[in-house]
Amino acid sequence: MGTAEEPRRITLTPAARRVLEAAGRLFYERGIHAVGVDLIAAEAGVTKKTLYDRFGSKEQIVVEYLAARDERWRAFLAPYLDAARPGAARVLAVFDASRAWAQENGSKGCGMINAHAEIGDPSHPARPVIAGQKQWMLALFTRLAGDVAPDGAHRLGRALMLLHEGALVAYGLNVFADPVGRAREEARALLAAAGDPAVRR
């Protein structure tokens, strides 16, 4: 599994935080390409000069938006994992957290997947943020799968990752009701087949 390089980050001043808050909301609701710096500055109540002084470019705003979203997700997930028993329960806790996150923060699906669809340039500075977030999720599923099936952790981790990411896409597209909940049940079946008696019906 490859690793993504660490993106350059900036220190956020109060004005920069206002810019980032406005940009994050607009990027997620309308798309990165559809939102210009004029609109971001206006929504944040700052001048374009201030925006460029703080971030240097729109690309850096995108980096900060995605990195901050990833940080919020990891902080949101942590108590779900902490509250679950080792084994299958922790795997299922990821799906529980994703379901709650989507209901609270993600009517348009996964912000990382959406951004990846828009950012075709592999040299864009936000690409490592997106790749790093998904690599972190795969590593998490693989680690958790190791508690269930030590000899098959990599295979099981990848299967769980595919279920999880597919559910996020289906949620964003509104393909059918509660795809994350459905993915959780499929994950339960995988875990039972892998040998965790705690999830067998």
Side-chain angles (χ1 to χ4, degrees), residues 3-161:
T3 57
E5 62 186 86
E6 287 294 320
R8 183 179 73 84
R9 302 292 301 278
I10 66 168
T11 301
L12 295 177
T13 64
R17 291 185 186 282
R18 293 200 304 275
V19 170
L20 186 57
E21 182 179 348
R25 183 179 69 255
L26 292 166
F27 287 156
Y28 187 73
E29 291 175 355
R30 304 186 189 186
I32 291 169
H33 289 324
V35 175
V37 293
D38 291 305
L39 178 59
I40 295 170
E43 289 284 318
V46 302
T47 65
K48 280 178 64 176
K49 181 180 184 304
T50 295
L51 183 150
Y52 280 115
D53 284 346
R54 300 298 184 271
F55 291 91
S57 66
K58 179 182 175 181
E59 287 76 15
Q60 188 63 36
I61 300 175
V62 176
V63 168
E64 299 297 334
Y65 153 63
L66 292 172
R69 192 172 178 89
D70 181 31
E71 289 166 357
R72 289 197 309 274
W73 158 244
R74 296 190 197 197
F76 186 89
L77 173 61
Y80 283 82
L81 293 175
D82 291 343
R85 299 185 311 277
R90 282 201 178 142
V91 174
L92 298 178
V94 179
F95 289 87
D96 292 336
S98 287
R99 192 182 193 188
W101 171 273
Q103 291 169 348
E104 293 180 24
N105 304 282
S107 63
K108 296 185 180 294
C110 175
M112 296 291 172
I113 293 172
N114 296 346
H116 187 268
E118 287 199 74
I119 301 172
D121 181 1
S123 67
H124 192 290
R127 288 289 289 259
V129 182
I130 299 168
Q133 200 272 339
K134 295 308 178 185
Q135 288 167 1
W136 185 83
M137 287 299 299
L138 177 57
L140 173 65
F141 276 123
T142 302
R143 177 170 59 82
L144 296 177
D147 293 333
V148 177
D151 294 334
H154 289 286
R155 182 177 180 180
L156 180 57
R158 282 163 173 72
L160 292 167
M161 176 77 169

Side-chain angles (χ1 to χ4, degrees), residues 113 160-172 175-176 179-180 183:
I113 293 172
L160 292 167
M161 176 77 169
L162 289 171
L163 275 174
H164 183 263
E165 298 303 305
L168 297 182
V169 172
Y171 185 89
V175 175
F176 55 86
V180 182

